[in-house]
Amino acid sequence: MENASPAQRHKARILAERAAADAAPGGITGGSAYEMMLYKLANDRRSLSNIQSMERKIEVKTTLLPEYQDWIDGALAKGHGGQDDVFTALLVWHIDCGEYARAVEMARYAVTHKLTLPDQFNRDIPTMLLDEFSAAFLKGKLAGDPVAAVEILAQVQHMTAHCDAPDQARAKMLKANAYAILAVLDSNSAELLKASQLPQAEAAHALMERAVALFPGVGVKQTMDRLRTRIVKAVPG
């Protein structure tokens, strides 16, 4: 409801809160407001399905996301964990569009309440989070801000630590987290590390070691070897 009046937005937020509050933990969200949001999401998906360019799809999703924010706010404010296919589909959209801070906020709610993705998705939410956030750093928009990436990836890693997920997906998250730490270190220094940077360097090395233990083909061994050499050669300061 990007162009809605304040009164319309307030009404939409109240309806969203009521729908979220009425859904029992583990139950299904219902009511006319929810049905309307499902209908809107289905229409928006049909429009997106007619677009072949992935870049263009993301541009369109970005323009659509503001229309769903009142619904998301209502779920976060009053929800008790009822299954909400609109909310979980939009969680994926936020990651696609690079809205990572909002996605983390939504992900924490989804993981806490064990929500599931709609049927057209073939992964559970913890696995999707590990896959998509690691890809967002290793080959996506999140790499543009390593400092923010370290914080975001650490949050995703922590919130999914207790969840069952494929070892390969978890290894990719550990790799992304380690590489984000290294990107921060490299942005603040030359090739030689300073002694004050050793805790971060050791943390990155430990993350990569764990990644290799989970999935030997994760592709970090050469980076680990170079980092170990840099740690050994660290200079005072």
Side-chain angles (χ1 to χ4, degrees), residues 20-227:
D22 288 344
I28 304 296
T29 302
S32 60
Y34 181 57
E35 293 299 325
M36 288 177 61
M37 295 306 296
L38 284 173
Y39 182 76
K40 171 176 168 47
L41 182 62
N43 279 340
D44 287 342
R45 279 184 176 143
R46 277 192 289 272
S47 297
L48 289 165
S49 70
N50 294 324
I51 301 172
Q52 297 185 64
S53 165
M54 290 304 298
E55 182 178 43
R56 178 58 183 156
K57 282 181 188 284
I58 290 172
E59 289 175 356
V60 173
K61 284 181 182 179
T62 300
T63 66
L64 292 171
L65 283 181
E67 300 174 10
Y68 291 96
Q69 295 309 310
D70 293 314
W71 183 262
I72 294 169
D73 287 340
L76 292 174
K78 299 294 184 179
H80 303 301
Q83 176 59 32
D84 183 338
D85 285 356
V86 175
F87 184 93
T88 54
L90 293 173
L91 166 57
V92 179
W93 283 25
H94 278 77
I95 301 172
D96 291 344
C97 296
E99 298 291 338
Y100 301 119
R102 182 63 154 174
V104 166
E105 182 183 21
M106 296 172 68
R108 187 173 293 108
Y109 177 86
V111 171
T112 297
H113 294 292
K114 297 182 173 62
L115 302 188
T116 60
L117 290 167
D119 291 340
Q120 65 266 27
F121 295 92
N122 59 7
R123 294 174 291 180
D124 59 25
I125 284 179
T127 302
M128 181 277 293
L129 294 173
L130 293 170
D131 283 341
E132 297 304 322
F133 274 98
S134 60
F137 181 78
L138 295 172
K139 52 184 180 182
K141 299 177 183 178
L142 191 52
D145 188 349
V147 174
V150 169
E151 175 65 22
I152 288 169
L153 293 171
Q155 289 184 63
V156 175
Q157 185 176 318
H158 178 73
M159 77 172 69
T160 58
H162 66 287
C163 302
D164 183 35
D167 290 339
Q168 185 171 351
R170 199 171 300 282
K172 286 196 301 182
M173 172 55 66
L174 293 164
K175 174 182 178 177
N177 206 336
Y179 279 29
I181 294 172
L182 291 179
V184 172
L185 289 176
D186 291 342
S187 68
N188 294 327
S189 70
E191 175 66 17
L192 287 177
L193 292 172
K194 297 179 181 179
S196 60
Q197 297 174 313
L198 288 178
Q200 292 80 15
E202 291 285 8
H205 196 275
L207 288 167
M208 288 187 284
E209 281 186 319
R210 178 59 180 154
V212 170
L214 287 172
F215 177 58
V218 70
V220 299
K221 291 183 179 179
Q222 290 184 349
T223 302
M224 285 176 63
D225 291 342
R226 288 196 298 269
L227 179 57

